[in-house]
């Protein structure tokens, strides 16, 4: 065995913490559930388990309506949604508050949908008055769907979906309301049916605590009916058989994602044991813990700060922040190498070729995360700022601990 030639302690040893906004931390219960022999995909445990878990899958999205599952990541789910809703030349209105809203728009446009993007930038929430005015203008009802992110993971902006529903209703517009909840499902409060949403998109690897590789569409009866003639639909993406299979293979249009399903079964059980209201409350406290630390670090140091000014428009799943270039990259490198904590890169705030890119980072607090993980990540960040001589305000860890103490 080669001996390291330094006696400097390696403080990254121990269990690492991937605090990036997806994939998220996988619970041991999920990992253990996946550790088994290949199951029969025609009968037996797996087929019975899926039938029994689909109600729980609906419940996390707050719906009793249709659900279709895909073997694919979030990008796949975007395409699945586009394929089932639209025909070539249909008009979609996309409300973007960061990279992911733009991504869904690009995916729909590339498939032949006419896409109008209302871009609210990377720091401000959707302006509902502008949306309402645009919908009122559309007297012919050409806009078939309004599509947005619940949380745009790049900016960590939270869209007020009930306010969007109210704006659409005020305009008297019949468009479908379609929401990308890939980052937020199981983290930020969400009620698909109660909030009048027609389509919810999510993936397995964020709040659902399961490895990347599965994604889901929950859709209303109105969305199903609106998409009946969609000419972008192809057999693989077709949500009809997937949501109402006569045979087990039709859930997936082929072989089931066997081990993902065992993992997902356990993740859903964990969410339901905790209770969705308490899951959201936990994320709320952990998010506020992170915000409190950044507020303290930024005191007297305006280069450090949260991306989103108003708490109402901040995600409870992920926090985007600035630290000034190149200190965000220096800090991320340090926390990973010296503390075993991997923080998220800044996304969509500057081009990777721009030196300013090194001024942004994200801290995820999504999924299987608790007080010691969030406090630990913040403490390692503070240690890194000290080690790297990054000037910052005092009292961040004290402020963070007080949020946890208040619960
Ligand atoms: C992660 C994410 C995506 C993309 O998901 P992939 O699994 O990486 O394809 C899309 N939208 C949002 C809001 C996300 O957080």
């Amino acid at each position: 065995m080669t001996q390291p030639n330094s006696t400097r302690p390696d403080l990254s040893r121990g269990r690492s913490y991937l605090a990036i906004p997806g994939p998220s931390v996988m619970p041991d219960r999920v990992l253990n559930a996946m550790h088994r022999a290949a199951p029969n995909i025609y009968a037996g445990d797996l087929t019975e388990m899926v039938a029994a878990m689909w109600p729980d899958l609906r419940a996390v999205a707050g719906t009793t309506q249709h659900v279709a599952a895909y073997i694919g990541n979030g990008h796949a789910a975007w395409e699945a949604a586009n394929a089932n809703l639209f025909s070539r030349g249909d008009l979609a209105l996309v409300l973007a508050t960061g990279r992911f809203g733009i991504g869904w728009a690009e995916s729909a446009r590339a498939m032949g949908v006419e896409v109008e993007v209302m871009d609210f930038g990377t720091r401000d929430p959707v302006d509902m008055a502008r949306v309402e005015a645009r919908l009122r203008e559309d007297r012919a009802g050409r806009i078939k769907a309004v599509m947005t992110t619940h949380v745009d993971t790049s900016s960590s902006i939270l869209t007020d979906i009930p306010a969007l529903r109210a704006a659409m209703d005020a305009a008297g517009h019949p468009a479908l309301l379609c929401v990308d909840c890939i980052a937020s499902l199981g983290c930020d409060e969400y009620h698909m049916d109660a909030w009048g949403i027609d389509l919810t998109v999510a993936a397995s690897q964020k709040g659902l605590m399961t490895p990347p590789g599965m994604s889901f569409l929950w859709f209303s009866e109105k969305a199903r009916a609106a998409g009946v003639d969609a000419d972008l639909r192809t057999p693989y993406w077709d949500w009809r058989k997937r949501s109402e299979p006569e045979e087990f293979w039709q859930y997936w249009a082929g072989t089931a994602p066997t081990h993902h399903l065992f993992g997902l079964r356990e993740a859903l059980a964990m969410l339901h044991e905790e209770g969705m209201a308490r899951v959201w409350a936990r994320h709320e406290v952990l998010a506020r813990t992170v915000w409190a630390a950044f507020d303290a670090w930024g005191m007297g140091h305006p280069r450090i700060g949260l991306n989103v000014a108003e708490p109402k428009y901040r995600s409870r799943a992920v926090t985007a922040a600035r630290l000034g270039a190149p200190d965000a990259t220096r800090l991320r490198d340090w926390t990973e190498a010296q503390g075993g904590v991997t923080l998220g890169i800044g996304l969509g705030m500057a081009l990777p070729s721009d030196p300013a890119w090194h001024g942004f980072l994200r801290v995820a607090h999504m999924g299987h995360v608790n007080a010691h993980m969030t406090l630990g990540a913040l403490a390692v960040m503070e240690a890194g700022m000290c080690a790297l001589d990054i000037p910052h305000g005092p009292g961040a860890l004290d402020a963070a601990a007080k949020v946890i103490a208040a619960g």
Side-chain angles (χ1 to χ4, degrees):
M1 219 161 107
T2 56
Q3 293 296 319
N5 53 16
S6 161
T7 54
R8 205 168 144 215
D10 179 353
L11 298 173
S12 73
R13 299 267 163 170
R15 176 162 277 221
S16 59
Y17 173 20
L18 186 67
I20 69 173
S24 65
V25 172
M26 289 180 283
D28 286 340
R29 279 177 63 177
V30 169
L31 292 170
N32 290 338
M34 297 175 74
H35 193 116
R36 62 172 75 204
N40 184 355
I41 57 166
Y42 298 103
D45 288 355
L46 182 72
T47 60
E48 285 158 27
M49 183 186 78
V50 167
M53 76 198 261
W54 251 221
D56 288 352
L57 185 59
R58 289 190 179 89
V60 280
T63 185
T64 56
Q65 303 187 69
H66 310 286
V67 60
Y70 294 87
I71 299 179
N73 59 17
H75 284 69
W78 283 341
E79 290 207 21
N82 303 336
N84 283 287
L85 290 177
F86 298 116
S87 293
R88 265 170 207 77
D90 279 349
L91 178 61
L93 178 64
V94 173
L95 314 176
T97 54
R99 195 46 237 158
F100 289 97
I102 300 287
W104 197 0
E106 285 169 348
S107 142
R109 188 175 287 135
M111 291 170 73
V113 180
E114 191 185 321
V115 178
E116 184 179 318
V117 177
M118 276 189 163
D119 191 345
F120 298 93
T122 55
R123 302 203 58 184
D124 296 314
V126 170
D127 177 347
M128 297 302 168
R130 266 182 67 197
V131 176
E132 187 184 326
R134 176 65 190 93
L135 292 171
R136 278 185 196 283
E137 239 171 63
D138 181 36
R139 292 211 182 75
R142 269 217 66 215
I143 296 170
K144 182 157 186 187
V146 175
M147 315 201 306
T148 195
T149 47
H150 186 210
V151 165
D152 198 302
T153 324
S154 63
S155 63
S156 69
I157 294 171
L158 176 79
T159 298
D160 183 346
I161 302 296
L164 175 56
R165 177 72 266 169
M168 293 172 68
D169 291 346
H173 199 288
L176 300 168
L177 174 50
C178 305
V179 185
D180 172 346
C181 293
I182 296 172
S184 58
L185 196 79
C187 308
D188 284 278
E189 184 171 2
Y190 187 77
H191 306 274
M192 174 167 165
D193 289 351
W195 289 357
I197 295 150
D198 294 301
L199 175 80
T200 301
V201 179
S204 53
Q205 78 272 23
K206 299 189 187 181
L208 296 180
M209 307 179 287
T210 302
M214 280 197 82
S215 52
F216 311 93
L217 301 182
W218 294 258
F219 53 103
S220 69
E221 182 51 29
K222 178 179 167 187
R224 190 201 60 76
V228 159
D229 299 321
D231 77 11
L232 292 180
R233 187 183 283 116
T234 53
Y236 181 77
W237 297 114
D238 194 341
W239 66 18
R240 291 174 298 191
K241 282 278 173 3
R242 286 175 187 266
S243 61
E244 288 176 343
E246 285 145 26
E247 293 173 37
F248 187 69
W249 68 271
Q250 292 171 325
Y251 275 111
W252 332 100
T255 304
T258 51
H259 286 64
H260 276 77
L261 288 167
F262 289 116
L264 182 66
R265 166 67 280 174
E266 203 59 28
L268 292 172
M270 290 174 71
L271 289 171
H272 290 301
E273 283 162 20
E274 187 178 354
M276 291 311 293
R278 293 177 72 215
V279 169
W280 295 324
R282 172 168 53 85
H283 282 84
E284 169 85 25
V285 172
L286 297 178
R288 284 196 284 105
T289 303
V290 173
W291 306 342
F294 270 97
D295 286 346
W297 287 327
M299 199 70 82
H301 298 274
R303 47 193 257 133
I304 302 181
L306 297 171
N307 185 50
V308 186
E310 254 194 87
K312 178 169 184 241
Y313 299 115
R314 291 179 193 158
S315 167
R316 274 60 177 169
V318 56
T319 295
R322 67 193 138 70
L323 222 65
D327 287 342
T329 296
R330 291 174 68 221
L331 183 64
R332 278 193 305 100
D333 290 347
W334 193 93
T335 62
E336 183 164 63
Q338 303 299 327
V341 176
T342 304
L343 300 171
I345 58 167
L347 197 64
M349 299 298 177
L351 289 174
S353 54
D354 180 345
W357 189 88
H358 297 285
F360 300 95
L361 56 72
R362 292 172 300 161
V363 184
H365 28 88
M366 58 169 55
H368 192 54
V369 183
N370 60 21
H372 83 73
M373 294 163 80
T374 298
L375 287 176
L378 295 170
V380 168
M381 289 172 73
E382 169 117 356
M385 291 187 208
C386 295
L388 299 169
D389 288 323
I390 298 172
H392 59 278
L397 298 180
D398 195 36
K402 288 200 167 99
V403 177
I404 296 289

